[in-house]
Amino acid sequence: MKKGKIIRTAGPLVVASDCLGAKMYDMVKIGDIGLIGEIIELKEDRAFIQVYEDTTGIGPGEPVELTGKPLSVELGPGLISSVFDGIQRPLDVIKEKEGDFVKRGIEVPPLNREKKWDFKPFVKKGQKVEEGDFLGEVEETPLIKHRIMVPSGKNGTVSEIKKGEMLIEEVAAVIKNEENEHKIRLFQVWSIRKNRLVKKREMPEIPLVTGQRVLDTLFPLAKGGTACVPGPFGSGKTVVQHQLAKWSDAQIIVFVACGERGNEVADLLLSFPELKDPSTGRPLMERTVIIANTSNMPVAAREASIYTGMTIAEYFRDMGYSVALMADSSSRWAEALREISGRMEEMPGEEGYPAYLASRIAEFYERAGKVICLGSDNREGALSVIGAVSPPGGDLSDPVVQSTLKVVKVFWALDDKLANMRHFPAINWLNSYSLYAESIKDYWDKEIAEDFSEIRQEAMKLLEKESELQEIARLVGVESLSDQDRLVLESSKSIREDFLHQNAFHPQDTYTSLRNQYLMLRTIIHFHNSGLKALKEGINLENVLKSEIREKIAKMKFLEGKGDDPDVLDLFIEINNVFKELLKKKG
Amino acid sequence: MHKEYLTVTNIVGPLVIVEKIVDVKYGELVEIASPGGQLRRGTVLDVSTERAVVQVFEGTTGLDIDKSSIRFLGGSQTLAVSEEIVGRIFDGSGNPKDGGPKIIAKKRRDINGSPINPQARDYPSEFIQTGISSIDGMNSLVRGQKLPIFSGSGLPHARIAAQIARQSKVLGKKEKFAVVFGAMGITFEEANFFIEDFRDTGALERSVIFLNLANEPPIERIATPRLALTCAEFLAFDLDMHVLVVLVDYTFYAEALREISAARKEIPGRRGYPGYLYTDLASMYERAGRIKDKPGSITYIPILTMPEDDKTHPIADLTGYITEGQIMLSRELHRKGIYPPIDVLPSLSRLKDKGIGEGKTREDHADVLNQLFACYASGKEARELALILGEAALSDMDKIYMEFAEKYEDKFVRQGEHESRSITDTLDIGWDLLRLVPKGELKRIRPEFLDKYYSIEK
């Protein structure tokens, strides 16, 4: 293998000479201990290398081994339930080998080489297959069937197919065509910076149900869509991400903890095996892949971590799954870019970020989508991406936020004022938006209730009206408002407190099905409309507001049971009775 | 024997540039002899085949180009650790400052440490009772947490930190406990306050103190917190102790970092601080925590003073993104004469949820704290409204909330510097205050707790 020589070391950046022949983004091994790095710039025979590990003790004169291969991930059985660092080294294996602290220069294969998988073939000898076709599957966890696909560019006829227990490195099938004979193993290798191929892209139209009322009802994300959660620290960004990872109805979750806190990752690692998947009752970990590159782990590996996660997510999407990728936080990734760029003495753009920041962010989010996967069965897969952004001081004019907003379709604006009032999730209902609300309207109205979008619209209108009225009330006092307006204030307060406010740590409140969200909101809106009618009939506001039914509305969210909740339905009729009663009394 | 170089070509701020070097490594420890023969230490920041950039810990005053000599020592800066380290006082570079002997090293630890494998971390969930209501009740601290105090100049953060160090305990347990205190760029008086307080309460025997005072070289500050944390890691994970680390003041630390960055002519990020400030701070803050199957823990309280009380200032901002919450001090409360002036609304403890509740504090804790937050926020809003419109314009409910906010600050937040309240007392005071508000308004509290606690008077 060709070798270069180090001529400079400055933190995560190493410069080596004698590197003619090396390609951009090739992986290299640095120094006598073999740290992993990636070439990010070439100048004559010099290569600029970002190193994924701490470079203390590395100096000029040491060798650089050029592998000639791009930085890649291994894709195959064993991914699910794993916890990797930014360049796909399994952290549990590192712990076993090296103890409680992460040391440098460790080489461990990403996927377990010793584990045997029970391979069930789908194809027969002599069958013609094209790229993306399923050759067979292994049951990776009780939740996930891992399909073994024909790698891209390996069309042909199956000349050999195996069955039964095997290691991932064993040949499971052989595909022959005119020029070549391809040995297919249970895993394939893919460069992290290259999109995985698809047949066709489609428009996202089905909502990703998260059980979080403010998200699902007001600002929905479609399967295959992109969302961004910016917010100042302490506004509950991470809790929102965790809730999504726990409750969203994606089949596979890839969670990239990118430059975040170690204890948060520990929380994920300890709680996911205990948490149950709401639909199957199995541990959530059985559908989750975690990439953990905490803030104190090497900064260059942080840069790579979101691509590692993205490539793994795309791989599962290719099997026809609905996958959700959470990146927490893309600001830390951008800072890693900035740090490396600074060390390379590149001309900085805004706030010291490199000029290519916006295009890198756009490229990243564009890897999301609903697609027709490769393969003759034309199956659908979806990859939704939710990126958290941590703008300095919560300032949304930050370049990372602005570049992200240009590409994502859903914006969940976290608000520290709401967080201070302990209104969680602290998503501001006036500033947030979702561009998918239109395209998934059909789904709601067909699958949930025909007046879903109508009721949603009414709720949004009430909240909008509330903010106007509050302005007025602030200037002239609440007393000067008309009874109708005061009812609007009361009803929107009820929407805020009884519907939008959701306690992630309360066993019943933490998840609400789409159907129940509809029922809850309809109850609140129904009370409002009945109230308005009653006011018109001459009943005074105090009597409307005094009704005990309002306490029941406030408790809806704590009711037990999932699916259609008869208690909530009952309120609808109860409200009718209450108002009949009021009218009778007056009558 | 290490080679001695006389090839210094440049001295800029805290940096020395040496040329014609052979076999020098990044991060290597360096010994610099000034023309007078006095020895200083430094570390390699950037090395190429021809030259090395060396950062001198004790500052470059008195160094010259032609007579200063440099030796590269191989390996990076280490701290000698052993059981003997407890009860000692060191300077910012780790040399004894109390007149005692040098520590005979049982082990030498690289002061930069290694990241804890996330897989090895245990989630902090043991409630620490600090005896301060606004922390215990509202933003509970747990073992293994990093919870900074965001202060401003002139606010009593030192007294609060000392009170926490004095009163902290885990309910129903008696364990080996130690305090590691590090001073970065603070004045003699402030540092002395801590040492005297530790001495008075007998805490000094179980403390390790690292002092870099305001008149000592700023560059030394880069090493001070790392020395303190390396020491804490040894005590926690080798000697199974529960360690509380208090470090003041991170603002001075960040300024020292900026100084080096400027001397290296790096491209600055926000407000002139280097772009890697986040990573740099994280490499220290993240050393707090717990490790599975190890009894010890590192709980970390860094203190920083926000320039102009601005929490969006890069130091406070980045800290807030790394640490698990923050205790925010308020000038307004301080002016009102309330001690401790902890502003609970912007304060936060991210790890409290797993540390409170039945079996840890009390079943109603979570609900009570949410309700207190909500009521106090409404009260403060009403207060603002009253300022604009006059009290007459407030609704009855607003008036109740305004009274609530007053009482809350007076009864709940305010307490004595030597008053240690148990968590039950804290929650009972909370209920006393909540009784000012009609039952129907208390929506954050589960009905069963309302029934159980609302009606009973103390």
Side-chain angles (χ1 to χ4, degrees), chain A residues 316-332:
Chain A
F316 282 107
R317 174 206 63 194
D318 291 349
M319 294 178 203
Y321 286 118
S322 162
V323 185
L325 175 115
M326 331 261 163
D328 186 11
S329 139
S330 58
S331 294
R332 305 294 159 240

Side-chain angles (χ1 to χ4, degrees), chain B residues 111-148:
Chain B
I111 66 159
N112 292 309
S114 299
I116 301 179
N117 188 330
Q119 192 95 38
R121 273 186 195 269
D122 205 357
Y123 195 72
S125 61
E126 250 181 310
F127 173 76
I128 298 180
Q129 180 178 299
T130 65
I132 299 175
S133 291
S134 37
I135 296 177
D136 293 352
M138 311 299 283
N139 299 294
S140 323
L141 179 68
V142 293
R143 256 184 191 166
Q145 185 173 13
K146 39 192 180 294
L147 190 66

Side-chain angles (χ1 to χ4, degrees), chain B residues 85-88 177-178 198-199 201-208 241:
Chain B
I85 203 165
V86 182
R88 299 291 306 272
F177 183 71
F198 287 177
R199 184 167 288 145
T201 52
L204 200 59
E205 298 152 30
R206 46 185 177 85
S207 306
V208 189
M241 295 171 105

